[in-house]
Each structure stands twice: as C-alpha cells, then as structure tokens.
C-alpha cells in the first residue's frame, strides 16, 4: 500500500475515526485503525464492541492495499506532521509516514485478527445534519453520568411520522427536543423508540454538523448515520427512559419571561458565592426578577427586567449548575419559565411552541 495525501486531511480523518477506539481492550487489534487505499480514495475505519466509525477522503493512491496500525499513535503522529503532503507506505512490517523532513515508522497489527465492521442498519430516512447536531447538544446536557444506571446515560430517540423526538434525563432534570426529519418510502409508516448512548450520539452528531442531509439507519440493536463520506454506528441501550408526558403537563401555572443572555450572565455572576448544594434563588414579581445566592455570610444579588403572569409573585431556586446547563441549551433571545411554585418542577422553554423543553426540579428557596 502506498498513497499521498494532504496532512491536514489525513489528521482530520484519523482523529474522527479514532473517537470510537476503546481506552482499554483485551483485544489489542481493537486499538487499531484500518487504512484502505484504492481508486483515489483513502478509507479510515475504527471499531470496538459498541460502535464503529468510517470516513473516506481523497488521496493519490499509487499502490492499493490495506494496513492496520495503532490508532492513537497514528493520531499523535498526524497532529505533529508538517503542513503539506504526507506519504504513507507499507514497508515490510511497518507503515512509514513521511512529511517534509519528518519520518515515522509504525508497526503493523495483524489484519487477520481484525473483526469485520458491522453493516449499516436499514436506512429509515434523512435528517438535516445541522439541525440534528443542535438538537442532540440541547438534550445531552441532561443525560446521566452514573454508569450503574446505564439507561439514564442515554438519549431517547423516537420516530413518529415526520417528527423526531430526542430526550434525556438523570432523574433531576429532563430535556426534550423535537425536530423534523424525512422518513424514507420504505419506513414512512414505521415508528421507533430507542435509547442511544449519549456520549456516542453526541460525537456522531457533531460530525454531521455542516454535512447536509444524513441517512439515518436503525434496527433492533443499533443506530447508524451515513453522510458525505462518513459512516458511524453505535449499539442501543437496553430499557426505556421514564415518559415525560405527565411530567411536562403542568396544568395551572405561572409564566415568567426574561432575557436569556442577561439571565445566564447574572446566574454565573451570583453563583460565585454558592458552594455545595447552595442554590440560586429567582424571585419574580411585578417589578421584575431578583436573583440571589449565598453561602454562610457570603451573598450576591442582581436585578433584571422580567414579566410574570398567573401570579402576583413567585420565588423558586435551582442548583446553579443545572440551571446554567438548561439556559446554555436554549438558543432564543428570551427564556420562558413555567412555574408551579417553590420546591416543585419548573419547565424552561424556548418559545410558545416549546420545540425545546427543559424540566428542572426547584429546591427550597433561600431564607
């Protein structure tokens, strides 16, 4: 195998494919990246027991062939290559990487021991890469981090007609985002409701941003995406997330509206005196919004313009980290708080239609 390629293109390709490589594995070959060069294209593939990634880029392929090398070592090498073209070739038991005056040699891993990449599941339709990346980022902040409850570390992906629903919860907050997608002719009438590892889905979604329409593929055990020369699959998680329908049905409640950017800045500002479980308090009234945070004798406060309907006043308090995550996931000039009262659930939305909704549990307000 021998090919020539722009070093920046090579670096981007191997870095993307290496994201799925396991940190530790009893099978050394799973730490490898498979390079396949032929017909003016370079294909870089990586996989583990849970996910796979493949990317194709243009290259000047002088001699077609395949090579398997340690992926993270190849990434490290690519990151320090001089700008310009790189030449890669199999020389005996090594892969040589040459760029400018720099030359590296990587030991080859046994190709015969490398497992076959999983096939792409059945293609169900198309989703816009930018819209999907934004939506996944908005709900992923609410996904759990505790691996002892695997299903809560996932993102629910539900398909119903031409509507896709993404949702995540760690039991203390719940984020939901709906967006449009285009079902294919064969799967237009087929719904789906699965849970996908949040970390894997976030990585895939980021790679789809700016790539245009992406093909969404799904079967009973895995989810896949294919777009602009890239292909990625990830296994599904067992179980189901708690349903959000009843949680989000607040009934009679107060509605407070304030500027998103000023509120975000104010929460960050007053939260510097909050420690441990100390909350940030939001007191809404006809005169606006009064933020307050404190720990022992240290206090901070700020006032902001706000409107309140459905109550004369309403005071709630939130974990500042959770509140900032929720505010950071919104992308509108204003944030709407749907409030039941102190110590009860509160719903943050990005507008009247509520395409993106983030549920937080309020805590006991400050004295």
């Amino acid at each position: 195998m021998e090919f020539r390629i722009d070093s920046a293109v090579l670096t981007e390709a191997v870095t993307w494919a290496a994201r799925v490589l396991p940190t530790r594995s009893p099978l050394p070959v799973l730490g490898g990246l498979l390079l396949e060069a032929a017909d003016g294209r370079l294909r870089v593939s990586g996989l583990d027991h849970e996910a796979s990634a493949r990317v194709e880029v243009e290259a000047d392929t002088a001699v077609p062939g395949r090579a398997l090398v340690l992926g993270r070592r190849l990434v490290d090498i690519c990151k320090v290559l001089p700008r310009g073209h790189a030449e890669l070739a199999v020389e005996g038991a090594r892969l040589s990487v040459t760029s400018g005056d720099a030359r590296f040699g990587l030991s080859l891993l046994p190709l015969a021991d490398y497992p076959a990449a999983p096939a792409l599941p059945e293609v169900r339709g198309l989703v816009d890469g930018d819209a999907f990346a934004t939506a996944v980022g908005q709900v992923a902040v609410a996904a759990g981090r505790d691996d002892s409850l695997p299903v809560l570390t996932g993102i629910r992906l539900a398909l119903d007609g031409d509507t896709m629903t993404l949702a995540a919860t760690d039991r203390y907050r719940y984020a939901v985002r709906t967006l449009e997608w285009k079902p294919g002719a064969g799967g237009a009438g087929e719904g789906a409701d699965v849970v996908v590892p949040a970390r894997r889905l976030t990585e895939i979604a980021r790679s789809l941003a700016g790539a245009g329409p992406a093909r969404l593929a799904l079967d009973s055990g895995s989810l896949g995406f294919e777009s602009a020369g890239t292909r990625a699959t990830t296994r599904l998680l067992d179980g189901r997330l708690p349903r959000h329908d009843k949680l989000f049905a607040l009934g009679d409640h107060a509605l407070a509206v304030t500027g998103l950017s000023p509120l975000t800045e104010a929460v960050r500002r007053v939260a510097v005196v909050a420690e441990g479980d100390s909350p940030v308090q939001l007191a809404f009234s006809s005169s606006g919004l009064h933020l307050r945070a404190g720990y022992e004798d240290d206090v901070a406060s700020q006032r902001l313009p706000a409107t309140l309907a459905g109550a004369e006043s309403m005071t709630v308090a939130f974990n500042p980290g959770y509140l900032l995550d929720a505010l950071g996931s919104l992308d509108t000039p204003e944030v709407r708080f749907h409030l039941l009262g102190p110590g009860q659930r509160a719903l943050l939305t990005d507008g009247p239609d509520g395409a993106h909704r983030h549920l937080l549990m309020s805590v006991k307000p400050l004295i």
Side-chain angles (χ1 to χ4, degrees), residues 55-276:
V55 57
E56 289 189 7
V57 293
E58 293 183 357
D60 182 4
T61 53
V63 179
R66 307 166 75 227
L68 183 67
V69 296
L70 282 175
R72 301 193 189 283
R73 181 63 55 81
L74 180 59
V75 170
D76 290 340
I77 289 174
C78 288
K79 288 181 177 179
V80 297
L81 288 177
R83 292 184 178 181
H85 285 89
E87 297 180 358
L88 288 81
V90 172
E91 298 176 351
R94 285 190 175 87
L95 175 72
S96 69
V97 183
T98 305
S99 181
D101 295 329
R103 181 180 173 86
F104 303 86
L106 276 174
S107 299
L108 297 176
L109 299 174
L111 276 169
D113 297 340
Y114 194 65
L120 190 71
E122 177 189 359
V123 175
R124 296 290 195 92
L126 298 174
V127 63
D128 179 78
D130 283 330
F132 184 74
T134 298
V136 170
Q138 289 177 317
V139 302
V141 296
R145 308 291 189 270
D146 185 356
D147 290 331
S148 65
L149 297 169
V151 70
L152 294 184
T153 66
I155 292 176
R156 177 190 177 212
L157 188 152
L159 305 176
D160 183 10
D162 60 0
T163 299
M164 176 188 297
T165 300
L166 300 171
T169 181
D170 61 1
R171 295 182 301 176
Y172 305 104
R173 47 192 171 164
Y174 206 135
V176 176
R177 176 70 157 84
T178 57
L179 67 156
E180 294 182 353
W181 78 300
K182 296 181 180 179
E190 297 182 21
D193 196 341
V194 299
V195 180
V196 190
R199 183 174 66 85
R200 297 292 191 191
L201 190 60
T202 299
E203 291 174 349
I204 292 173
R206 287 173 179 166
S207 72
L208 297 177
R215 287 176 288 279
L216 183 153
L218 180 66
D219 60 20
S220 60
S222 62
L223 173 72
F225 292 88
E226 188 173 46
S227 175
T230 65
R231 173 185 291 186
T233 65
T234 181
R235 71 173 179 86
L236 303 177
L237 293 174
D238 294 329
R240 292 287 183 266
L241 292 185
R243 301 292 296 188
H244 65 271
D245 309 70
K246 292 183 178 179
L247 284 174
F248 283 40
L250 300 185
D252 292 335
H253 63 275
L255 175 63
V257 182
T258 188
L260 176 61
S261 180
L263 177 60
T264 303
E265 293 176 4
V267 172
R268 289 198 182 103
R269 187 171 295 119
V270 302
V272 297
V273 299
E275 291 189 20

